[in-house]
Amino acid sequence: MSKKRWLIVLLYAVLCSQRLFAQTLDRRVLGINEMFRLADENSQSIQTYKTGEEAAKEALKAAKSQRLPDIGASLSFSYLGDGYLWDRDFKNGQNIPMPHFGNNFALEAQQVIYAGGAINSSITLAELGQQMAALDWQKNRQEIRFLLTGYYLDLYKLNNQLQVLQKNLDLTEQVIRNMESRCTQGTALKNDITRYELQKETLKLQLAKVQDACKIMNHQLVTTLHLPAGTEIVPDSTLLDEEVKALAENDWQMMAAQSNVGLQQAQLSVQMSEQKVKLERSELLPKIALVAGEHLDGPITIEVPVLDNNFNYWYVGVGIKYNLSSLFKNNKKVRQAKLNARRAQEEYLLAQEQIENGVQANYVNFLTSFTDLRTQEKSVELADQNYNVISNRYKNDLALLTDMLDASNMKLSADLGLVNARINLIYSYYKMKYITHTL
């Protein structure tokens, strides 16, 4: 009975370990669009810029609150000591009794009705700052998506390399088995098998390196997307079947002009610098405000003897304030703001030039990737034909083993080159979308 119990416990432990292993290796087929959605929800970088956008909204509310009146209230209680009174020559001094309890209450309000455009300029700057924060978020979102696309396509490329290497490894093992049968018949040398065994070990080493690279790339994707630890991401196998449209260069240029976030930010910088010019000019203009106040003071210390009474008074009026020093101080700030505005305009033109050049250069590379794909497809076709011919000739003792090895290596190189060419085409396409910020 004890042996049976130990056997049951052992079987239970094995089943639990298998279940735990299955849970830790959660395979998940993930498409690019689904990956983008997860990034928007989980990426820490995107969330940081989202918080910055919310802070900019609050800054806009704070700027608009400058239009509201300023209201202040004060209340104080004090102990007053006795006074002392002299003649003008400080003779004939006498003590003046004072009420010892003092109180003061004041309520003052001020509503700015003209500030030289400073308030409106501040609000406009805050609105532009909110737009800039939204563009920062959008730009970071595009950068994260392009980064993830690079990880994703690298993982796709590595998985395809695993399949190609495994296929060639299986083919090499089949050749070894054929050689071993021929060796027993005396039509092949043991040295030939040894050389193919060496190639087999080389393929195993390459396979192990690619598997390690897959683990690294998978971990980076899982970490960025904040997926559960142990998730194994499997790229969507239909990705290479999707049609990639080259479009015309002018179409990409128009998309970049309309959607590129960097260009929009440069244009916003021009508008912000223009508002800063207006803000500096407002310092050269007077400030006008409606004012009102209510005061309750006691005792009345301006009379001798002092009146132990409370004195209440109120007022309303118009206040005008002008900083005379701005006439010889702010003109320099205005000139500086104008130069910054001109620089922002120049930077906008420079950004247009750089984006146009970037689209043109990457479009040429994009077209080259189509040529590379067609070339690799032809190379695979020729490599397969060459391998089949050499293999048949080797079986009929019409070719050397070195010819067989060369044909096998050529086939492996062509298969890997085709996979890389397909992935590079898709990567070039997504890079064009990244440059135009249409990911």
Side-chain angles (χ1 to χ4, degrees):
M1 292 296 293
S2 60
K3 292 183 178 179
K4 290 183 178 180
R5 288 180 180 177
W6 278 111
L7 181 60
I8 292 173
V9 172
L10 181 61
L11 291 174
Y12 182 78
V14 171
L15 290 175
C16 289
S17 63
Q18 289 179 348
R19 183 178 299 176
L20 180 62
F21 182 77
Q23 290 176 351
T24 55
L25 291 179
D26 181 19
R27 291 173 62 88
R28 179 168 183 173
V29 179
L30 192 66
I32 286 187
N33 291 331
E34 176 68 10
M35 180 179 66
F36 289 165
R37 185 188 66 80
L38 289 173
D40 290 343
E41 293 178 356
N42 301 329
S43 172
Q44 189 63 45
S45 178
I46 293 177
Q47 292 302 319
T48 299
Y49 280 90
K50 191 68 176 178
T51 304
E53 185 180 1
E54 294 175 358
K57 290 180 181 179
E58 294 301 319
L60 176 59
K61 293 179 182 179
K64 289 182 176 180
S65 67
Q66 294 179 9
R67 289 174 173 170
L68 301 176
D70 294 326
I71 301 175
S74 63
L75 176 65
S76 65
F77 301 96
S78 58
Y79 177 85
L80 303 178
D82 289 340
Y84 200 82
L85 184 66
W86 290 278
D87 292 339
R88 291 292 292 171
D89 56 0
F90 292 97
K91 296 179 180 179
N92 303 320
Q94 59 178 324
N95 187 62
I96 303 296
M98 295 270 292
H100 296 303
F101 176 75
N103 61 273
N104 174 267
F105 172 74
L107 178 64
E108 296 179 331
Q110 178 175 304
Q111 174 65 60
V112 177
I113 58 177
Y114 179 74
I119 296 178
N120 290 335
S121 295
S122 298
I123 293 175
T124 303
L125 273 174
E127 291 174 346
L128 294 174
Q130 180 184 355
Q131 297 178 31
M132 185 69 77
L135 289 176
D136 285 337
W137 169 78
Q138 186 177 346
K139 185 177 181 180
N140 179 257
R141 184 166 170 256
Q142 291 288 317
E143 292 173 349
I144 293 297
R145 287 188 169 192
F146 185 63
L147 176 67
L148 289 172
T149 300
Y151 289 161
Y152 184 87
L153 293 179
D154 283 342
L155 183 60
Y156 200 116
K157 185 186 296 185
L158 291 170
N159 285 340
N160 279 276
Q161 287 179 5
L162 285 176
Q163 297 177 11
V164 172
L165 288 171
Q166 187 62 52
K167 179 180 177 181
N168 281 269
L169 183 60
D170 295 339
L171 185 60
T172 300
E173 290 176 346
Q174 180 181 355
V175 172
I176 291 175
R177 288 193 296 269
N178 293 336
M179 285 185 175
E180 288 175 345
S181 63
R182 292 180 62 189
C183 185
T184 57
Q185 298 172 3
T187 58
L189 299 176
K190 184 66 176 177
N191 185 47
D192 295 342
I193 299 177
T194 302
R195 297 180 68 175
Y196 251 87
E197 287 285 354
L198 180 60
Q199 182 180 4
K200 175 183 174 181
E201 295 303 319
T202 302
L203 288 174
K204 285 184 177 180
L205 178 60
Q206 293 179 0
L207 192 64
K209 289 182 178 180
V210 174
Q211 288 173 343
D212 292 339
C214 283
K215 293 179 182 178
I216 295 173
M217 200 58 61
N218 183 83
H219 179 74
Q220 290 177 340
L221 272 173
V222 169
T223 302
T224 306
L225 295 175
H226 288 263
L227 294 176
T231 302
E232 181 182 355
I233 295 176
V234 180
D236 188 2
S237 59
T238 62
L239 177 64
L240 297 183
D241 298 331
E242 296 181 3
E243 183 181 0
V244 177
K245 297 181 181 179
L247 299 179
E249 182 182 347
N250 288 336
D251 294 333
W252 290 108
Q253 293 286 3
M254 290 179 60
M255 291 170 62
Q258 295 173 358
S259 304
N260 185 273
V261 176
L263 196 60
Q264 296 176 20
Q265 287 182 319
Q267 192 172 14
L268 268 182
S269 296
V270 173
Q271 299 177 21
M272 294 178 73
S273 61
E274 291 173 350
Q275 289 300 321
K276 289 179 181 178
V277 172
K278 294 181 180 179
L279 191 61
E280 293 298 338
R281 283 177 175 170
S282 67
E283 293 295 326
L284 298 172
L285 300 173
K287 310 296 185 295
I288 302 176
L290 295 175
V291 294
E294 168 77 17
H295 287 261
L296 177 65
D297 300 324
I300 304 173
T301 58
I302 60 175
E303 295 286 343
V304 179
V306 174
L307 300 179
D308 191 11
N309 301 104
N310 288 323
F311 179 58
N312 175 251
Y313 63 95
W314 60 271
Y315 60 88
V316 293
V318 177
I320 300 177
K321 181 180 180 182
Y322 187 76
N323 186 6
L324 294 176
S325 62
S326 64
L327 294 174
F328 54 86
K329 286 184 177 180
N330 255 69
N331 53 354
K332 300 177 180 62
K333 293 183 178 180
V334 171
R335 285 198 297 270
Q336 180 185 4
K338 287 181 178 179
L339 289 174
N340 289 333
R342 189 173 76 182
R343 179 183 177 182
Q345 182 65 37
E346 293 170 350
E347 289 177 347
Y348 172 68
L349 296 176
L350 178 61
Q352 283 184 316
E353 180 181 324
Q354 291 175 341
I355 291 171
E356 193 274 337
N357 289 335
V359 170
Q360 190 273 338
N362 284 278
Y363 183 74
V364 172
N365 294 331
F366 184 36
L367 295 181
T368 303
S369 63
F370 282 97
T371 304
D372 184 31
L373 177 60
R374 289 191 295 268
T375 302
Q376 292 298 330
E377 289 173 344
K378 187 64 176 179
S379 297
V380 169
E381 179 183 351
L382 295 176
D384 288 340
Q385 292 177 3
N386 179 66
Y387 182 83
N388 293 331
V389 170
I390 297 299
S391 179
N392 289 330
R393 293 180 63 187
Y394 181 76
K395 291 177 182 178
N396 296 318
D397 296 327
L398 299 176
L400 299 175
L401 178 62
T402 54
D403 297 331
M404 189 69 180
L405 289 171
D406 290 341
S408 179
N409 291 330
M410 186 181 300
K411 175 177 171 53
L412 174 60
S413 178
D415 289 340
L416 292 175
L418 178 58
V419 171
N420 292 340
R422 288 174 177 170
I423 298 298
N424 289 337
L425 174 61
I426 296 176
Y427 178 79
S428 297
Y429 172 69
Y430 277 96
K431 190 172 184 180
M432 290 299 301
K433 297 190 70 174
Y434 168 68
I435 293 175
T436 56
H437 285 168
T438 54
L439 270 177

